[in-house]
Amino acid sequence: MKNTPLVPSQLYKPCNVEQLKFSSTDELEDIDITVGQQRAVDAVKLGIRMHKNGYNIFAMAPSGTGKLTTVRQLVEHEASRQDIPSDWCYVNNFSQPAKPKAIKFIPGQGKVFKHDMAQLIDELSIAIPAAFDGDEYRSRAGELESESRQREINELSRLREDAANAHILLTETATGYAFSPADENNETISPEQFNKFDKDKQHEIQKTIFDLQERLAKLLKNFPIWRKETKRKLQALNREVAEQAVNHSIDDLIEKYAKQEAVLSYLNNAQKDIIEHVLDFLPRSEKMFPFMELAQESNPLKRYSVNLMVDFSDKKSAPVIYEDHPNYSNLVGRIDHQAYMGSLVTDFTMVKPGALHKANGGYLIIDARKLLSQPYAWDTLKRTLQSGDIRIESLERALSLVSTTSLEPEPIPLNLKLILMGEPLIYYLLSEYDPEFHDLFKIAADFDESVSRKDNDHDYARLLATIARREKLRPLSQNAVARVIEHSSRMIGDAEKLLTHLRSIKDLLTESDYWAENNGHEQIANSDVQQAIDHKTHRLDKLREKLYENIERGTVLIDTEGKVVGQVNGLSVLQLGEFSFGQPSRITATTRLGSGKVMDIERETKLGGAIHSKGVLILSSFIGARYSRKTSFSVAASLVFEQSYGHVEGDSASLAELCVILSSLAQVPLRQDLAITGSVNQLGNVQPIGGVNEKIEGFFDICAQKGLTGTQGVIIPATNIKHLMLRWDVVHAAQSGQFSIYAVTTVDDALELLTGMEAGTVNEQGSYQPESFNAQVEAQLLQFTKIKKEFEDKTD
């Protein structure tokens, strides 16, 4: 027999402890956690340094690979070399309050300007009432009032004198003024006396009263005009007094911000508005002219406040923002409302910044899955990047769901680098279905989950030391590091690779630290790491235990001894969350005279996936091409996974299916103490499969339950040898000769192991060697062809 079992050194690649030149990880320096991610690092560096539109970054890697930490490190390093971006404020637009103005400041000046305006309003709140409470103002205002009042009195007195000279009395009544005739002594004449006068005199008195009434009417019409004149004079006085108080306080600010056109324009407008609304600065009890009051807001002076949207006064470099909840409002900002007098009101001070404002001039990092799960967030983000402006608008208004009047803040120019993080599938889906995606994200940073194990043990040890220090864990001993390195290869499923999935490594070290504390160790020992590995397996393997128990009790039929025609033990892997394990499955086949069709019962019952069906079609082509090149393929075969009631996918059982069909054709029994896995191509070459370690261990566990005989083992593709990192108990069993692992490169190699016969090769005449397995298969197919021909001739 050409095939011999693999030696123990091929089943497990231990870490060479002698190459670890330290006793514990305390002796090792920290290392950048981007070990093995040079391709992704180079892509991120290019993206963050390319200051052109559209060169945003999509960092693609599965969750937990440390891409966020890596990206943050790179971005923060680049941000530290850049200037601090500008501050932004929103201020009141006095001409259009519904459209607040945005003002740009150098870093830190926005906070200063907000303080300056608050201080100005505080000063004016003292200075203006003081100015209106001064003796000069009171005296001038009193003079204006006295002049107005005296003018009215003088005109009424003149009218009263003229009436008295005409023997007419002017009297004030509850409803106004009244004229009545008088005698020589200016005593009122009664109606009886008036009636005794002759008609001419009565007409004369009535005419005089009528003329006086006309004069009184004209006079009363002039009173409101004179009062308005007085009011205008008072307003002019108020403006004069207010200008003196305001100009004195605001001139310093105008001089301070004279070189900033936007600020200067705002201050000039604020100055005019303060003068126009000077009474808002006066306490209600002290306002001099109630007739000048208007309905006021709860805090009328708030319109002179400054809404500091972005404050970089405490920053030393460009900002790096990670938005954990990237919904519509958290990205572009929002406009809040508050209840006032039974309704919801808002103003520019209630405009709140979003992540785009906070990261403006720097870097914004967002998880792609979270972004895409938020309604309208993705479209809004794209629109903002394309326009280059941050527009704050409520989602209801943006979707035209409401038509109420709201604020329309002036857009703020956008200048940032956006980094999206997500799984590769999200990147490829967006590339395929969103035509705008590549216009905005021209840089793809592809993170790897593994790194070559060759010459990287020391750097990996430094990575473990770095993680342990950051997580405040105990240092690892030399042997513990070696065990983690070995388990890292096992987790990635490749003896020549090391896992770079930081979350998995951190979890292993954290649990190992727990067991070290529980065991009273000052350092994490090899036994602590192993205990963490074993305990995690124990808490996750309930389903595996139940399945293996069903096999041991005979509920699920798996033979580990003897030989059976048309029956073999295939191997599959079940993945349940973070835990995967191998499961043996009985595969059987039957053959008979037919028309060359191999029926896959799994496919016929719609339990087989497309890849599994492809594997069956490939092995069918192989059988026809090898054994029926000169004759018709007169066979019908059927394949099935016994006691399988779920979906079957993958082609890793195609080698086992091919062997079991050929066994049924040749009527040669197959060994049941061997399980087999592997994919086969049309040329009969065996191809690698996934989960080889779990598959081997799954069959080993079943054999161990039933009792190891020394003949049991597993057949795997030779190309999977480099992936072997088996459990120690499996390696020890192989070392003691109780269990064997065979590697095959062709179908013939597998057949020789399963049958104990030579597979046979084709001689010069095109026939297989007599008594070989292939010869028996070919003879059976020729027999089927002969029977079919005789039947067809008899029918004709």
Side-chain angles (χ1 to χ4, degrees):
M1 300 294 292
K2 301 188 295 293
N3 289 293
T4 56
L6 298 177
V7 297
S9 61
Q10 294 176 290
L11 307 180
Y12 190 87
K13 184 179 180 180
C15 177
N16 188 353
V17 180
E18 296 179 357
Q19 293 182 353
L20 304 178
K21 307 296 184 181
F22 57 86
S23 59
S24 81
T25 54
D26 267 348
E27 303 171 17
L28 301 177
E29 297 179 351
D30 284 351
I31 192 175
D32 195 340
I33 63 170
T34 59
V35 175
Q37 304 290 359
Q38 194 57 45
R39 178 188 291 105
V41 169
D42 291 342
V44 173
K45 286 182 178 178
L46 173 64
I48 60 181
R49 293 172 182 174
M50 182 74 76
H51 300 292
K52 298 292 183 181
N53 291 336
Y55 280 87
N56 297 299
I57 303 167
F58 194 104
M60 50 178 171
S63 176
T65 52
K67 60 182 180 295
L68 173 58
T69 307
T70 301
V71 168
R72 267 187 165 172
Q73 283 184 351
L74 295 172
V75 169
E76 287 173 356
H77 179 266
E78 183 66 21
S80 65
R81 301 164 51 189
Q82 297 184 7
D83 296 334
I84 307 172
S86 304
D87 290 349
W88 284 94
C89 296
Y90 271 121
V91 295
N92 188 22
N93 184 344
F94 298 105
S95 59
Q96 292 180 293
K99 297 182 178 181
K101 291 284 188 180
I103 300 181
K104 180 180 179 180
F105 292 93
I106 62 174
Q109 196 178 50
K111 186 176 183 179
V112 174
F113 180 68
K114 180 177 181 179
H115 177 266
D116 288 344
M117 285 302 297
Q119 190 173 19
L120 171 66
I121 300 305
D122 287 343
E123 290 177 1
L124 294 179
S125 298
I126 297 173
I128 291 176
F132 281 92
D133 197 38
D135 292 339
E136 181 181 357
Y137 174 80
R138 289 180 179 275
S139 175
R140 294 178 62 183
E143 289 178 1
L144 292 175
E145 277 196 310
S146 297
E147 289 177 2
S148 177
R149 191 177 301 109
Q150 190 62 43
R151 184 178 183 182
E152 293 180 9
I153 292 172
N154 291 340
E155 291 297 328
L156 284 174
S157 297
R158 186 178 299 111
L159 179 62
R160 183 175 285 109
E161 290 177 2
D162 291 344
N165 292 333
H167 300 289
I168 303 296
L169 294 180
L170 174 63
T171 58
E172 294 186 22
T173 66
T175 58
Y177 294 93
F179 290 97
S180 58
D183 57 15
E184 296 294 336
N185 298 322
N186 283 332
E187 295 290 337
T188 303
I189 298 175
S190 64
E192 291 78 6
Q193 292 176 321
F194 179 78
N195 290 331
K196 293 179 179 179
F197 293 155
D198 57 36
K199 296 296 182 182
D200 293 336
K201 189 171 184 178
Q202 288 181 2
H203 286 305
E204 182 182 353
I205 294 174
Q206 289 176 345
K207 184 177 183 304
T208 302
I209 291 175
F210 181 77
D211 292 341
L212 290 172
Q213 285 177 337
E214 285 187 342
R215 286 181 60 188
L216 177 62
K218 291 179 181 179
L219 187 62
L220 293 177
K221 287 182 180 179
N222 288 332
F223 284 178
I225 298 174
W226 297 342
R227 289 172 184 173
K228 286 181 181 180
E229 290 177 359
T230 303
K231 181 178 179 181
R232 282 194 291 270
K233 291 179 181 179
L234 284 172
Q235 287 176 338
L237 175 62
N238 292 342
R239 182 178 293 276
E240 180 184 346
V241 174
E243 285 178 351
Q244 292 176 356
V246 172
N247 293 347
H248 177 74
S249 299
I250 206 170
D251 283 346
D252 293 338
L253 280 185
I254 291 176
E255 182 179 353
K256 180 177 181 180
Y257 296 99
K259 295 182 179 180
Q260 293 176 252
E261 185 177 346
V263 181
L264 193 60
S265 174
Y266 168 73
L267 289 175
N268 290 329
N269 291 332
Q271 181 180 19
K272 294 177 183 177
D273 190 79
I274 291 172
I275 293 172
E276 291 175 2
H277 299 85
V278 67
L279 297 181
D280 290 340
F281 290 82
L282 300 177
R284 279 188 175 273
S285 59
E286 297 181 12
K287 288 182 182 178
M288 305 303 297
F289 306 103
F291 58 84
M292 298 174 64
E293 292 185 19
L294 300 174
Q296 294 194 359
E297 302 176 0
S298 58
N299 181 13
L301 302 184
K302 188 167 66 171
R303 64 177 176 271
Y304 306 114
S305 302
V306 175
N307 184 358
L308 183 57
M309 292 286 287
V310 183
D311 177 22
F312 291 127
S313 59
D314 59 344
K315 296 288 184 181
K316 297 181 179 179
S317 61
V320 178
I321 302 297
Y322 172 69
E323 179 53 54
D324 185 56
H325 186 46
N327 61 20
Y328 180 90
S329 298
N330 288 349
L331 283 176
V332 299
R334 67 184 189 277
I335 301 173
D336 288 343
H337 293 74
Q338 71 178 15
Y340 176 70
M341 301 291 287
S343 62
L344 293 177
V345 297
T346 187
D347 56 52
F348 73 98
T349 63
M350 298 184 197
V351 178
K352 304 299 180 183
L356 291 171
H357 296 91
K358 298 173 185 176
N360 200 8
Y363 303 88
L364 176 60
I365 305 172
I366 301 177
D367 186 281
R369 183 181 292 275
K370 293 179 180 179
L371 175 66
L372 294 171
S373 65
Q374 296 296 329
Y376 304 101
W378 172 243
D379 288 337
T380 301
L381 182 62
K382 288 193 300 179
R383 186 170 60 251
T384 303
L385 292 174
Q386 290 165 344
S387 66
D389 292 325
I390 312 174
R391 295 180 179 272
I392 303 178
E393 187 178 26
S394 67
L395 184 57
E396 298 85 353
R397 185 177 178 85
L399 298 176
S400 299
L401 298 178
V402 295
S403 59
T404 55
T405 302
S406 184
L407 295 182
E408 297 180 22
E410 182 180 3
I412 292 177
L414 177 66
N415 177 29
L416 58 72
K417 186 69 68 174
L418 178 62
I419 300 101
L420 284 186
M421 301 182 305
E423 298 177 356
L425 178 61
I426 296 178
Y427 174 83
Y428 295 124
L429 287 174
L430 288 173
S431 300
E432 180 69 21
Y433 294 107
D434 192 335
E436 300 173 329
F437 177 69
H438 283 296
D439 292 334
L440 299 173
F441 295 90
K442 297 180 182 294
I443 301 295
D446 198 353
F447 286 77
D448 200 343
E449 279 194 288
S450 65
V451 62
S452 175
R453 187 169 169 179
K454 184 179 180 181
D455 301 328
N456 271 329
D457 284 356
H458 183 73
D459 286 344
Y460 203 78
R462 289 178 61 193
L463 175 64
L464 299 179
T466 303
I467 295 174
R469 275 192 280 270
R470 289 186 179 182
E471 300 299 321
K472 298 182 180 179
L473 307 176
R474 288 170 174 77
L476 285 80
S477 68
Q478 184 186 55
N479 289 330
V481 170
R483 183 68 190 98
V484 173
I485 289 175
E486 294 166 359
H487 188 63
S488 174
S489 291
R490 168 57 188 257
M491 286 192 288
I492 199 61
D494 194 329
E496 298 175 357
K497 300 284 187 180
L498 291 172
L499 182 72
T500 57
H501 193 269
L502 295 182
R503 184 175 63 194
S504 299
I505 300 170
K506 186 184 74 174
D507 291 347
L508 175 61
L509 297 187
T510 302
E511 294 181 28
S512 300
D513 179 75
Y514 167 79
W515 291 112
E517 180 182 7
N518 198 56
N519 296 328
H521 297 160
E522 294 183 359
Q523 295 179 349
I524 298 176
N526 179 18
S527 59
D528 300 322
V529 177
Q530 188 59 46
Q531 194 169 1
I533 295 170
D534 293 342
H535 194 273
K536 182 174 182 178
T537 301
H538 174 69
R539 66 178 183 260
L540 295 175
D541 73 341
K542 185 186 78 169
L543 183 57
R544 179 181 69 171
E545 182 180 308
K546 297 296 183 183
L547 289 173
Y548 289 0
E549 180 183 343
N550 287 335
I551 295 174
E552 182 183 12
R553 298 173 63 186
T555 305
V556 176
L557 302 178
I558 297 291
D559 292 334
T560 57
E561 296 182 50
K563 292 185 175 183
V564 179
V565 174
Q567 177 177 302
V568 74
N569 290 322
L571 296 171
S572 59
V573 173
L574 294 181
Q575 179 78 38
L576 300 172
E578 296 181 345
F579 183 63
S580 59
F581 61 92
Q583 179 188 13
S585 300
R586 175 176 289 180
I587 302 174
T588 61
T590 59
T591 54
R592 58 201 175 276
L593 179 64
S595 58
K597 179 181 179 182
V598 176
M599 182 178 67
D600 177 14
I601 294 179
E602 306 297 334
R603 180 181 63 188
E604 297 297 326
T605 57
K606 297 183 180 180
L607 290 176
I611 299 176
H612 177 261
S613 299
K614 177 183 177 182
V616 173
L617 292 174
I618 289 174
L619 67 89
S620 175
S621 298
F622 168 79
I623 296 173
R626 168 175 277 198
Y627 301 107
S628 299
R629 297 188 67 182
K630 299 179 181 179
T631 61
S632 62
F633 190 32
S634 305
V635 68
S638 62
L639 278 169
V640 70
F641 279 73
E642 303 289 355
Q643 295 183 286
S644 172
Y645 308 106
H647 196 71
V648 177
E649 181 59 297
D651 63 349
S652 64
S654 60
L655 177 60
E657 292 170 329
L658 176 57
C659 291
V660 79
I661 289 176
L662 297 179
S663 167
S664 178
L665 280 171
Q667 288 297 294
V668 175
L670 302 178
R671 292 173 58 181
Q672 301 300 297
D673 55 357
L674 291 178
I676 183 170
T677 183
S679 163
V680 68
N681 63 19
Q682 289 191 116
L683 304 177
N685 299 320
V686 179
Q687 302 169 141
I689 44 81
V692 64
N693 293 295
E694 289 81 2
K695 290 177 178 180
I696 293 172
E697 292 164 358
F699 191 67
F700 172 81
D701 290 338
I702 298 303
C703 293
Q705 284 181 352
K706 294 190 173 187
L708 294 174
T709 62
T711 63
Q712 295 150 333
V714 176
I715 300 172
I716 66 170
T719 46
N720 277 121
I721 294 175
K722 59 181 174 292
H723 301 133
L724 293 178
M725 285 295 290
L726 294 170
R727 290 196 322 245
W728 289 344
D729 55 343
V730 182
V731 177
H732 293 160
Q735 190 172 17
S736 61
Q738 293 181 302
F739 195 78
S740 302
I741 292 93
Y742 301 93
V744 297
T745 57
T746 65
V747 174
D748 291 338
D749 295 339
L751 289 171
E752 289 179 353
L753 284 167
L754 289 170
T755 63
M757 298 174 59
E758 289 287 341
T761 56
V762 178
N763 56 26
E764 294 179 355
Q765 290 75 31
S767 301
Y768 287 101
Q769 300 166 350
E771 305 302 323
S772 68
F773 180 84
N774 285 329
Q776 294 192 33
V777 173
E778 188 177 49
Q780 183 61 62
L781 289 174
L782 288 172
Q783 182 66 23
F784 282 156
T785 301
K786 180 180 178 181
I787 295 172
K788 182 179 181 181
K789 188 174 185 306
E790 289 177 353
F791 178 77
E792 290 175 349
D793 291 343
K794 185 176 179 181
T795 303
D796 292 341

